[in-house]
Amino acid sequence: MELVQQHPDISAYLAVGEAVDHDHPLVREVADRLSGDHPDAYSYAEAAFAFVRDTIPHSQDSGDPRVTWRASDVLEQRTGICYAKSVAYAALLRARSVPAALCYQRLADDDGTNPVIHGLVALLLPGERRWARQDVRGNKPGVDARFSLGEERLAWTVRPELGEVDYPGLYAEPHPAVLGALKAAPDRPYLWRTLPTEL
């Protein structure tokens, strides 16, 4: 699949935004700490991936009712669903001048029912010509996402026969349907009932 930038200028994917707030002191602090041990862009991107995937629990897995949507809040509260964790990873990448975009899949149950939008990050490392999608959702039994610039190692591979979709769009900020759902939710159980089902 060919990923498509929603903004032709790559600077849009380095910019500070409402959700991707990498100018926040906490985001900068985490980025500084990670880059101290991982000074080059590739090892930093991989370390930041592991940090978000492994040290910030997915709130559905952990049972945390809090809803986060801004990168700094995700890092401070150490919780979030896929959308929020993706925003945090994008912010950490941009904090070290690595272009980062938010992108999405439409997934469903094994019988094709209960569709839901799943959030990912795409990054463009120096010297690379292609964006590479990453999934920081968090691993669990049956889910084994890995950092990879070659063959994708996402949590799920779409099944078109069930109506699942890889959306090609690369967004500088969360898609409006995603951000709207996050902002409107007083807690995760409410959010789970109002997650977008398509873009």
Side-chain angles (χ1 to χ4, degrees), residues 57-69 77-81 181-182 184-193:
H58 189 289
S59 55
Q60 172 73 5
D61 295 349
S62 65
D64 194 320
R66 295 174 294 170
V67 175
T68 52
W69 58 269
Q77 298 180 38
R78 292 296 182 100
T79 190
I81 68 165
L182 289 169
D187 55 35
R188 186 182 41 76
Y190 180 95
L191 176 62
W192 233 237
R193 298 191 297 273

Side-chain angles (χ1 to χ4, degrees), residues 1 82-83 103-120 133 135 154-169 171 175 177-178 195-199:
M1 178 188 63
C82 61
Y83 307 147
C103 50
Y104 302 93
Q105 295 174 312
R106 182 180 192 255
L107 303 174
D109 289 345
D110 289 341
D111 61 359
T113 62
N114 299 314
V116 69
I117 298 302
H118 176 57
L120 307 168
R133 294 191 304 171
D135 193 336
L154 307 178
W156 293 283
T157 302
V158 301
R159 301 166 294 182
E161 68 276 11
L162 297 178
E164 296 184 336
V165 177
D166 276 319
Y167 290 106
Y171 297 87
H175 187 281
V178 167
L195 290 173
T197 59
E198 61 182 1
L199 297 183

Side-chain angles (χ1 to χ4, degrees), residues 99-157:
L102 300 160
C103 50
Y104 302 93
Q105 295 174 312
R106 182 180 192 255
L107 303 174
D109 289 345
D110 289 341
D111 61 359
T113 62
N114 299 314
V116 69
I117 298 302
H118 176 57
L120 307 168
V121 175
L123 58 84
L124 188 62
L125 283 173
E128 297 289 332
R129 287 200 234 147
R130 296 176 56 115
W131 290 85
R133 294 191 304 171
Q134 313 295 332
D135 193 336
V136 291
R137 179 220 179 273
N139 291 340
K140 61 179 186 174
V143 173
D144 185 27
R146 304 289 179 102
F147 182 83
S148 176
L149 297 184
E151 182 181 353
E152 290 187 330
R153 298 291 304 274
L154 307 178
W156 293 283
T157 302

Side-chain angles (χ1 to χ4, degrees), residues 27-81:
V27 179
R28 306 299 283 186
E29 177 190 319
V30 173
D32 288 346
R33 191 167 69 244
L34 290 170
S35 63
D37 293 329
H38 306 278
D40 68 281
Y42 180 97
S43 65
Y44 173 80
E46 187 171 22
F49 171 89
F51 176 82
V52 176
R53 182 193 64 186
D54 299 341
T55 72
I56 300 172
H58 189 289
S59 55
Q60 172 73 5
D61 295 349
S62 65
D64 194 320
R66 295 174 294 170
V67 175
T68 52
W69 58 269
R70 189 180 278 121
S72 55
D73 292 337
V74 175
L75 295 176
E76 179 186 17
Q77 298 180 38
R78 292 296 182 100
T79 190
I81 68 165

